[in-house]
Amino acid sequence: MNTRLIETDFPIRAVSQESVREKNIRHGHISTLHIWWARRPLAASRATALAALLPDDPRHRHEWLQLIEQIAPWEVVTGANRQGEALLEEARQLIRQAYGGRAPRVLDPFAGGGAIPLEALRLGCETYALDYNPVAVLLNKAVLEYPQKFGRPGAVKNLVLPPTAKGKKKSEELSLGIKAQQVANPLLQAVEVWGNWVLEEARKELAPFYPNDRDGSVPVGYIWARTLPCQNPACGVEIPLMRQTWLANKKNKKVALKLIPNRAARRIDVQIVGQKNEPIDFDPEEGTVTRAHVRCPLCGGTIDDDTTRRLFREGKAGQRMMAVVLHHPQRTGKTYRLPTEADLQAYKAAEAALEQKRRQLHVAWGIEPVPNEQLPPQETLGFRVQRYGLTRWGDLFNARQKLALLTFADAVRRAHAQMLRAGCEPEFAKAVTTYLAFGVDRLADFGSVLCVLNATGGRGVVHTFGRQALPMTWDYAESNPFNREGAGWP
């Protein structure tokens, strides 16, 4: 057997640096399509595939190692520079020469997120990908199969687009006269327009439950704290459970919630400090709960961890909206305010709308639309929320989050039905709907009661699976699905 180049030498440092840099790239990267834990860097996958396919020829070793370094950067595969495609074509030619003028067959039997087979495809190989995990199979269809099948001119006979006006009677009119042969990438075009249609359909139903402020500021999200009654018989105040109270903790911006014991009214009041550059005269790192041990800000009494868990399981826990995070479309940065009666009423209205939506979809779908299946046994895969009374999948979302997810999921199903009624090819409709369904998955990931506020910058919330577990969160950030600042609809 001929020795492969990777068995002799490999530019480890250069490829490793590009792999690390790639972690900070989001736009256009397959990692943003759907969460997958064991993702391989595209840079490393591309470089190792080429080094494994090329023979070790001492006459060309230095030249080929340089090529491997050159094809590792992200910009090579994004079209950001003209040289990228030329480098990839050079790699393809070298591979064909090494295999007698044909494309070699590459099999990844544990394809996972699809990085290795994607890069083998990019290098011109005849590629096969397998996995026994159904999520991985779906990911590989979206990363490998559908773009190859439907992402080129003429791949579909007709590009079916959503209706643009009310009153259209004939489903054939949905195509709007667009000829698929004239579209460079029918799949990309269809996903974009149907994704916008889903967004607007959902907005029609959900906008009243995420009201903008009078000055045009849009809610990025709502900060909630779970609550427990103080167990001191002489107190009994509702304790907001917060691990810390930072709203913004950046070098040039410090804003925090201040919990103020109000003994006269027997409640915990809240004030936002730092937004007007006033000094923060307390430690926001000090919350009211640490590892399920709770401290009452009013009387100083404590609740031990076993009692905390028991109170949750007994249904004694509640929740309290603590703050609203806002973004104005014409200004940079975020602002913060305390919740108003209008905010509370909007949430109550969402609770009522959820029950109506649930009944409607139960009839239409023939199943319970809010997932009521049991979570895995406690401690399975790092699931720790069961000990706090969160025992079903639906428990991971508050009422407004459930309403939003059901509304978007329903819109995606209706989009698929409209495509088929308009004469769309079934496989193409399935492909488009797959990407739309990934959008719903993303909303679920960034829209559960286990998401926390990102106080140090970036997106408004840290997603549910910030790590490979489902630990309990005491305070959580409810994201607005219509505001990209809050990790909304993709």
Side-chain angles (χ1 to χ4, degrees):
M1 180 182 291
N2 294 331
T3 303
R4 303 285 98 188
L5 177 59
I6 198 171
E7 298 176 90
T8 303
D9 202 349
F10 186 78
I12 294 177
R13 180 183 294 274
V15 174
S16 297
Q17 287 174 342
E18 291 300 328
S19 298
V20 170
R21 186 170 74 92
E22 186 183 306
K23 290 183 178 181
N24 296 319
I25 294 171
R26 290 292 177 264
H27 183 69
H29 199 282
I30 62 171
S31 63
T32 63
L33 188 63
H34 195 281
I35 192 168
W36 184 258
W37 294 117
R39 283 205 174 274
R40 304 292 180 253
L42 298 182
S45 300
R46 186 163 55 253
T48 54
L50 179 56
L53 288 166
L54 291 179
D56 179 35
D57 186 339
R59 297 169 301 172
H60 300 288
R61 185 183 299 159
H62 179 70
E63 171 191 343
W64 291 352
L65 289 173
Q66 278 191 322
L67 176 61
I68 292 170
E69 285 191 38
Q70 290 174 322
I71 68 166
W74 170 253
E75 290 75 15
V76 168
V77 297
T78 60
N81 61 53
R82 294 183 178 180
Q83 191 180 11
E85 182 55 35
L87 290 170
L88 288 173
E89 184 56 34
E90 181 182 350
R92 295 178 194 124
Q93 293 292 345
L94 290 173
I95 291 171
R96 289 193 203 97
Q97 290 173 14
Y99 288 85
R102 64 175 179 84
R105 293 175 180 172
V106 173
L107 166 66
D108 185 351
F110 308 103
I116 292 174
L118 173 63
E119 294 307 328
L121 268 179
R122 214 180 318 252
L123 292 172
C125 302
E126 183 181 328
T127 306
Y128 300 85
L130 301 175
D131 207 292
Y132 59 82
N133 187 311
V135 176
V137 172
L138 192 62
L139 277 172
N140 281 282
K141 279 185 170 292
V143 171
L144 308 171
E145 180 181 326
Y146 293 149
Q148 291 284 320
K149 194 171 183 180
F150 301 116
R152 62 185 189 279
V156 293
K157 295 179 180 178
N158 64 317
L159 183 60
V160 176
L161 299 182
T164 56
K166 294 181 180 179
K168 290 188 177 294
K169 297 179 180 179
K170 296 181 180 179
S171 60
E172 290 78 13
E173 292 177 8
L174 296 177
S175 66
L176 305 180
I178 301 289
K179 293 184 178 179
Q181 290 79 2
Q182 299 173 352
V183 178
N185 189 329
L187 181 62
L188 179 63
Q189 176 79 9
V191 170
E192 182 178 357
V193 295
W194 281 103
N196 288 333
W197 183 86
V198 167
L199 178 64
E200 293 311 313
E201 288 293 298
R203 195 192 306 274
K204 292 175 187 176
E205 293 188 44
L206 296 173
F209 309 116
Y210 302 90
N212 293 349
D213 280 15
R214 290 183 178 180
D215 69 348
S217 294
V218 181
V220 171
Y222 306 86
I223 310 304
W224 293 85
R226 304 177 200 272
T227 63
L228 282 179
C230 179
Q231 297 301 285
N232 178 356
C235 181
V237 72
E238 181 188 61
I239 306 172
L241 306 183
M242 302 194 76
R243 69 203 188 285
Q244 51 87 32
T245 63
W246 284 114
L247 294 175
N249 186 15
K250 296 184 284 188
K251 184 177 180 180
N252 60 346
K253 188 176 184 179
K254 304 283 186 181
V255 183
L257 284 173
K258 184 175 185 179
L259 305 181
I260 305 171
N262 187 332
R263 290 178 172 80
R266 301 184 69 78
R267 67 170 184 259
I268 309 297
D269 292 334
V270 180
Q271 179 183 353
I272 294 178
V273 180
Q275 191 156 228
K276 298 179 180 178
N277 295 321
E278 66 268 33
I280 296 178
D281 58 355
F282 62 98
D283 185 4
E285 295 292 337
E286 272 192 33
T288 60
V289 59
T290 304
R291 294 183 179 273
H293 292 269
V294 180
R295 177 186 60 82
C296 176
L298 190 67
C299 71
T302 60
I303 306 175
D304 64 67
D305 55 344
D306 287 336
T307 304
T308 295
R309 297 183 185 106
R310 175 177 60 78
L311 291 172
F312 269 89
R313 291 194 298 270
E314 292 176 353
K316 302 293 178 59
Q319 64 176 7
R320 174 179 172 182
M321 191 184 296
M322 304 294 288
V324 180
V325 185
L326 301 154
H327 167 72
H328 197 286
Q330 297 177 351
R331 306 185 200 123
T332 58
K334 299 181 180 69
T335 57
Y336 311 86
R337 63 167 173 78
L338 297 179
T340 64
E341 184 61 28
D343 296 315
L344 302 178
Q345 289 301 321
Y347 184 80
K348 289 180 181 178
E351 289 180 312
L354 170 63
E355 183 54 29
Q356 181 180 354
K357 188 75 173 178
R358 190 195 67 77
R359 289 197 301 265
Q360 170 197 336
L361 295 182
H362 191 281
V363 173
W365 296 357
I367 58 172
E368 171 56 47
V370 176
N372 58 359
E373 296 85 357
Q374 290 281 343
L375 288 171
Q378 187 173 306
E379 305 300 338
T380 303
L381 301 174
F383 283 35
R384 300 186 179 91
V385 296
Q386 298 94 325
R387 65 178 76 174
Y388 297 96
L390 305 180
T391 60
R392 299 180 183 273
W393 288 103
D395 296 338
L396 303 181
F397 308 91
N398 72 22
R400 185 160 49 187
Q401 290 170 332
K402 292 175 189 175
L403 177 63
L405 288 168
L406 288 181
T407 303
F408 273 93
D410 181 44
V412 169
R413 290 170 67 107
R414 288 189 288 117
H416 180 254
Q418 290 228 41
M419 292 181 219
L420 294 180
R421 281 199 302 269
C424 182
E425 298 168 43
E427 278 301 307
F428 183 62
K430 182 189 292 186
V432 174
T433 308
T434 297
Y435 294 101
L436 300 181
F438 282 153
V440 177
D441 282 1
R442 186 174 178 82
L443 284 181
D445 188 19
F446 281 89
S448 79
V449 295
L450 302 180
C451 295
V452 296
L453 178 69
N454 186 356
T456 58
R459 286 188 177 269
V461 300
V462 177
H463 65 136
T464 303
F465 288 104
R467 58 192 180 97
Q468 291 172 272
L470 283 182
M472 186 61 174
T473 55
W474 309 109
D475 51 278
Y476 69 91
E478 179 197 359
S479 186
N480 180 350
F482 302 106
N483 191 326
R484 294 180 67 85
E485 290 286 326
W489 180 251

